[in-house]
Amino acid sequence: MKNIRKISYNQTMLMVFLGTAGNLVYIHTEAGAIAGRSGWICTIVATLVVIMLCIFMVRVGSRFQGKSILTIIEDSFGRVVSCIVSIFYIVLMILLSATNLSLFAGVVNAYILILTPKWVPIFLLLVVCALIAGSGIEVLARMSIIFSLITIVNYNAANILAVVTTFDYKLLLPQFERPFITYIQGMYLILSSMLETFLFAAIGIENMPMNPRPYKAVAKGLLISSFFVVTVPTSFIGILGLTEATRTGYVAFNMFHGIQIGRFIQGMEVFVMITYYVIAVAKISINLFILKTALSHIIGKSHGRLAIVCTTVLVFVFFLKYISFNKAYLFAIQLAEYVTLPFVIFLSLIAAICLAVGKRKELKGKT
Amino acid sequence: MKTAALICITLSILLTTGCWDYAEYEDMALISSIGIDCIHETNSLKITIENSSVGTQGNQSQSGQAGEKSKSSSRELYTVQARSIPEAINKLQQVEERELFFGYVQVIVMNSEAAKKCMKEIISFFSYTSRIRKSAYLYVTPKSAQDVLSSVETGENFPAAHRIVAFTQQSARNATFFPVTLREFNIALTTKGMQPVVPLINVTSSNDTGGTDESGNTDAMPEDVEDKPGTLHISGMGVFKGDSLVGQLDEIESTGLGIILNKNISNYINLKSEDDNAGILKNLSFRVRNINTDIKTGLDNNRVVIDLKVDVKWRLEQFEISDEALSPDTIKKLENALAGSIKEIVTASLEKGQKKLGSDIFDFGNVFYRQHTKEWDNSYEKKWDALFPNMTVNVDVKSHMLEAGLAIRPMQKQ
């Protein structure tokens, strides 16, 4: 068996972290609205479920080393089935990327470039993402280290400053005051959103290191994201109150926009803008890489450039369709709940069947 | 790929040299305060804005138009009547050739009529807009917001916003009010068991609004506002019930509210006790160093009982006693005297807020919600407003003297 080790353990971990954070930066608002002050418990439970699913996926990948889920399906069920799955992958990732871009464009448009048409900064962002994704997973992995550092240091520095000066713990109380069903609903929403990581793991497994085991890197990346998304919304509620913290998307911007420390320090939303930009670039680059891999699987690996150009154009076209922040927000939630989750369940089942088929073939070979 | 990258980078450099939002600093009118007056008869708003960027930019381009008189001033004031704040902003932009920039708004002043009748609309606008920071301070004035913003100290022409912010920064030493930002107002408005308060601002020696139209004509063009001599005075708090102003607390009652809400207080408290035979409590002055209030809620036969424990640390600033030194007995008497005084202040605040205004500005409801969540959700949330005015509140004040400077004995002729 060949072991193509294109990216390192830490790079895998940080790519998972950025990919997951890209969704959670806006989805926690909805989870907070459903589950209230104790929305953090939904994130923790959802993380554990996603870790288990990813461990399973990576285990399948370890069995067929150097192959992505699409290649594994092709080997087990033939080219037609694998191409159908690829098309599903492409459609889903295009929609997810387009909604992600619309949400980010909304933030830019609301606070920074109010009069600039939304498509201008997004077009430039997409060009950067396409260049990164088109250069291969090694470049993407190297960028993820820089992006993660910027995200963690920059965001936490601003957040700590805000917490130290403005935080009121009383706004976090009482905890667990809502009915049990609301936590299930919140967990379901966060889980559906986090499952994009599973989609990345299923494609990226062919490039992940096999020693130490890749599932550890994926699990660690998810745990870092989870920690990030548990602590940060908690600080939002402690600073803005529950209603305000669950009233707007990308709450950090709203929060920093309203904080003044001492007489002169204000406008800290610039720090958040940098973080959001970096997360958006990382997230869209990862999505474009998945798109490129899925399309290349259909049209041939030698047409990688064509694949990246086509998918980028499609993402941009769909972004223009869902250009409204509010429409994109609702669509992103529906997409996660009604499309991503069923697709992941389908992929898990098909991966389990592939694993069983592989084992049977192995046994036959031995006998 | 390298060629594609080169093309993309070159295009980006060529196409992003400027943007749609590009504006020179000199082309922006930096609005530092907004005044909102509600005109009851016509159900319209009179919006006054203060542009404090005049002095820094010379304002040489303006001639003949509104604003010309402000060349010697460090600010310009415009006012206009409109049906809503966005409509007013549109109209104000018609007389200001520079872009109205609201990112530096520090102060929002509303007259009491606006705070009573139009607060829902005002807060709705400020909650949705991303143009104005939530760190802006809110004030209510019993007069006209326009009068407050147009007032100038004799011989000075500082923008009203700068003066109000300077007052705000001294609130702890004053203790007759505490600042409230838009963010804090929103929290109080939307959190269970809380009611908002907003400091009161007044202007003295200024004539009532004159020269500006109060006819409610929302089609009229904006007009500039003359500076008027006047002294700003901030004391007391406006009390809201939901999004409507229902009354106000005077200086003492506001200090009591600050004590209950654990606000930063370091003001002087004077004591003059008449029934003190030893003469120890004659002409005493304390300076509060730290106040810590703990609120506990309980249920006694389904009746809500509130226990307030106030712990005051203070410094002796003035005393006239004949003893040679500040003996432990004397200090104990002083501590008891101050505790009694603080209790009176707190009780006065409770009396007004609880009995007369019936608004839970003390956050008792929120404390009860946190400490007895099930009971709150099941029954007390709905009947809290009815129960609140007759609730038993036990006030227990403990006071501790920290020092009397470094003095040990009073000043005496040897």
Side-chain angles (χ1 to χ4, degrees):
Chain A
M1 277 185 205
K2 57 177 179 178
N3 181 9
I4 305 166
R5 184 182 176 278
K6 285 185 178 175
I7 55 174
S8 72
Y9 180 87
N10 284 338
Q11 286 170 341
T12 308
M13 181 178 80
L14 295 175
M15 283 171 78
V16 169
F17 158 65
L18 285 171
T20 314
N23 276 48
L24 293 179
V25 285
Y26 65 87
I27 210 78
H28 68 77
T29 301
E30 201 60 24
I34 296 169
R37 295 173 187 84
S38 309
W40 54 270
I41 194 79
C42 305
T43 310
I44 290 176
V45 177
T47 307
L48 294 175
V49 176
V50 177
I51 285 174
M52 283 192 283
L53 277 167
C54 284
I55 287 174
F56 166 71
M57 190 63 240
V58 173
R59 208 179 146 204
V60 174
S62 309
R63 178 116 193 123
F64 304 91
Q65 278 189 29
K67 290 178 181 174
S68 70
I69 186 74
L70 299 174
T71 324
I72 295 168
I73 292 170
E74 188 176 350
D75 290 351
S76 306
F77 299 99
R79 184 148 178 81
V80 177
V81 178
S82 74
C83 283
I84 292 169
V85 175
S86 295
I87 289 166
F88 265 103
Y89 239 111
I90 291 165
V91 172
L92 180 58
M93 294 316 292
I94 284 173
L95 292 175
L96 287 170
S97 305
T99 47
N100 250 293
L101 282 173
S102 296
L103 292 168
F104 178 68
V107 182
V108 175
N109 199 242
Y111 287 96
I112 308 285
L113 302 174
I114 296 159
L115 302 174
T116 307
K118 281 183 178 181
W119 66 266
V120 177
I122 294 306
F123 175 74
L124 294 171
L125 184 144
L126 257 177
V127 169
V128 173
C129 295
L131 284 171
I132 295 172
S135 305
I137 196 162
E138 301 92 335
V139 175
L140 190 56
R142 281 200 293 273
M143 295 293 279
S144 70
I145 296 177
I146 303 165
F147 286 171
S148 300
L149 268 176
I150 295 171
T151 303
I152 293 169
V153 173
N154 186 36
Y155 199 80
N156 283 331
N159 204 41
I160 287 167
L161 201 59
V163 166
V164 167
T165 53
T166 326
F167 187 80
D168 182 2
Y169 78 93
K170 288 172 194 159
L171 295 172
L172 294 177
L173 300 173
Q175 288 282 322
F176 301 111
E177 82 283 14
R178 296 209 176 167
F180 182 70
I181 188 76
T182 58
Y183 302 114
I184 302 287
Q185 288 168 341
M187 195 274 286
Y188 178 76
L189 182 68
I190 296 265
L191 173 68
S192 310
S193 174
M194 282 180 100
L195 282 175
E196 274 186 55
T197 309
F198 178 92
L199 297 177
F200 167 66
I203 292 283
I205 188 67
E206 63 178 338
N207 303 298
M208 287 181 192
M210 287 300 146
N211 193 20
R213 292 184 175 179
Y215 72 81
K216 282 188 180 174
V218 176
K220 275 188 186 173
L222 281 165
L223 284 174
I224 297 172
S225 287
S226 172
F227 175 76
F228 201 60
V229 180
V230 165
T231 53
V232 172
T234 305
S235 67
F236 295 160
I237 296 173
I239 290 171
L240 292 173
L242 179 64
T243 308
E244 197 68 9
T246 54
R247 195 177 66 82
T248 54
Y250 290 85
V251 190
F253 227 96
N254 191 18
M255 183 180 90
F256 285 111
H257 196 251
I259 287 181
Q260 183 169 354
I261 298 168
R263 197 167 177 175
F264 301 108
I265 302 175
Q266 64 173 14
M268 288 197 296
E269 63 269 18
V270 174
F271 289 99
V272 184
M273 192 67 230
I274 295 166
T275 311
Y276 278 154
Y277 187 84
V278 164
I279 290 179
V281 169
K283 174 78 189 162
I284 300 301
S285 301
I286 290 170
N287 286 5
L288 286 180
F289 171 75
I290 298 173
L291 279 166
K292 177 193 155 193
T293 312
L295 191 58
S296 300
H297 182 79
I298 300 170
I299 62 174
K301 285 199 174 174
S302 56
H303 296 96
R305 282 181 197 174
L306 179 67
I308 197 81
V309 172
C310 289
T311 50
T312 305
V313 169
L314 282 171
V315 168
F316 189 64
V317 169
F318 275 88
F319 156 73
L320 293 175
K321 180 173 167 55
Y322 295 104
I323 205 158
S324 152
F325 179 86
N326 294 70
K327 283 180 186 171
Y329 182 79
L330 295 174
F331 184 65
I333 290 167
Q334 287 174 346
L335 204 59
E337 286 186 334
Y338 300 116
V339 183
T340 311
L341 187 65
F343 185 58
V344 167
I345 293 169
F346 166 74
L347 268 187
S348 305
L349 286 174
I350 214 163
I353 296 166
C354 290
L355 198 64
V357 170
K359 273 186 182 173
R360 189 179 287 178
K361 278 183 182 172
E362 212 172 277
L363 277 174
K364 265 188 183 175
K366 279 181 185 173
T367 52
Chain B
M1 189 53 93
K2 276 183 185 171
T3 318
L6 200 64
I7 292 168
C8 288
I9 290 165
T10 314
L11 277 176
S12 301
I13 290 168
L14 289 173
L15 294 174
T16 56
T17 50
C19 67
W20 282 258
D21 291 274
Y22 170 79
E24 286 287 348
Y25 183 75
E26 289 77 13
D27 297 333
M28 289 154 71
L30 308 181
I31 308 304
S32 55
S33 57
I34 301 175
I36 304 167
D37 290 301
C38 182
I39 300 166
H40 178 52
E41 293 78 22
T42 53
N43 205 20
S44 62
L45 295 170
K46 185 167 73 173
I47 306 296
T48 308
I49 56 167
E50 183 185 43
N51 169 14
S52 60
S53 56
V54 179
T56 55
Q57 293 155 36
N59 199 27
Q60 289 165 354
S61 62
Q62 298 190 5
S63 60
Q65 294 291 316
E68 188 184 14
K69 54 103 196 162
S70 299
K71 274 183 183 173
S72 59
S73 171
S74 63
R75 58 160 189 178
E76 285 172 352
L77 277 175
Y78 293 114
T79 189
V80 71
Q81 290 182 34
R83 281 174 288 270
S84 66
I85 301 172
E87 187 187 313
I89 292 172
N90 272 349
K91 285 185 171 184
L92 289 162
Q93 188 66 76
Q94 291 172 17
V95 292
E96 175 59 66
E97 64 268 41
R98 291 172 292 167
E99 178 195 345
L100 294 177
F101 183 76
F102 291 89
Y104 293 128
V105 170
Q106 292 176 295
V107 173
I108 298 164
V109 183
M110 299 161 288
N111 75 342
S112 43
E113 194 70 17
K116 276 177 195 164
K117 307 248 167 66
C118 315
M119 203 61 193
K120 205 171 199 170
E121 186 191 336
I122 293 167
I123 287 299
S124 166
F125 171 74
F126 288 119
S127 298
Y128 276 95
T129 184
S130 55
R131 299 175 75 183
I132 296 165
R133 292 180 180 278
K134 307 283 185 297
S135 53
Y137 294 111
L138 288 177
Y139 287 92
V140 170
T141 178
K143 288 194 171 178
S144 143
Q146 183 189 315
D147 283 346
V148 170
L149 297 185
S150 64
S151 72
V152 286
E153 292 278 357
T154 316
E156 306 265 0
N157 57 9
F158 291 124
H162 294 190
R163 289 161 62 206
I164 294 169
V165 170
F167 270 120
T168 305
Q169 283 160 353
Q170 301 305 324
S171 63
R173 292 166 192 274
N174 180 323
T176 57
F177 77 99
F178 50 86
V180 175
T181 62
L182 257 174
R183 180 181 65 82
E184 291 163 334
F185 187 91
N186 283 348
I187 289 175
L189 193 64
T190 58
T191 304
K192 285 181 182 178
M194 283 187 182
Q195 296 292 348
V197 283
V198 169
L200 297 169
I201 187 166
N202 214 333
V203 59
T204 53
S205 309
S206 172
N207 300 326
D208 283 344
T209 311
T212 56
D213 180 21
E214 285 214 8
S215 62
N217 180 8
T218 53
D219 294 328
M221 287 299 286
E223 51 187 86
D224 53 355
V225 182
E226 296 288 333
D227 288 348
K228 293 172 192 167
T231 305
L232 291 177
H233 177 67
I234 306 177
S235 75
M237 302 293 290
V239 176
F240 285 75
K241 199 167 182 180
D243 51 22
S244 179
L245 183 77
V246 290
Q248 59 186 60
L249 303 182
D250 65 18
E251 292 182 8
I252 299 288
E253 292 155 358
S254 299
T255 307
L257 177 65
I259 291 170
I260 296 170
L261 294 178
N262 260 324
K263 296 293 176 186
N264 185 15
I265 290 174
S266 61
N267 67 328
Y268 291 103
I269 293 176
N270 297 309
L271 265 182
K272 280 185 182 173
S273 180
E274 291 166 359
D275 56 349
D276 175 45
N277 297 329
I280 290 173
L281 307 178
K282 193 178 162 192
N283 287 334
L284 280 170
S285 262
F286 307 87
R287 179 151 199 181
V288 176
R289 305 296 298 171
N290 176 262
I291 292 187
N292 186 29
T293 306
D294 186 33
I295 306 172
K296 289 247 173 354
T297 58
L299 285 168
D300 181 21
N301 288 331
N302 289 330
R303 288 191 63 198
V304 180
V305 180
I306 312 284
D307 289 316
L308 269 180
K309 284 190 178 166
V310 184
D311 189 49
V312 194
K313 291 187 175 64
W314 49 271
R315 197 171 95 171
L316 193 58
E317 293 282 339
Q318 182 191 338
F319 67 116
E320 293 175 24
I321 57 172
S322 53
D323 291 341
E324 276 198 355
L326 281 165
S327 65
D329 281 350
T330 312
I331 290 172
K332 189 76 195 162
K333 280 186 180 175
L334 295 176
E335 285 177 343
N336 288 341
L338 186 75
S341 177
I342 295 282
K343 190 171 180 174
E344 277 176 25
I345 293 170
V346 170
T347 310
S349 183
L350 287 168
E351 191 70 25
K352 185 70 167 284
Q354 202 187 354
K355 312 276 185 208
K356 290 186 181 161
L357 301 176
S359 175
D360 190 359
I361 48 176
F362 312 103
D363 300 350
F364 292 153
N366 185 258
V367 178
F368 186 83
Y369 170 54
R370 282 188 266 128
Q371 294 175 354
H372 305 271
T373 309
K374 273 188 183 171
E375 287 86 347
W376 171 273
D377 284 339
N378 291 341
S379 58
Y380 285 92
E381 184 176 8
K382 286 170 193 160
K383 56 185 181 185
W384 190 261
D385 283 348
L387 292 175
F388 177 70
N390 302 315
M391 227 165 253
T392 309
V393 183
N394 303 314
V395 184
D396 177 25
V397 182
K398 284 193 169 61
S399 93
H400 304 282
M401 179 180 137
L402 293 176
E403 74 247 328
L406 295 178
I408 296 161
R409 295 179 184 83
M411 247 171 51
Q412 283 177 333
K413 207 166 232 179
Q414 298 290 331

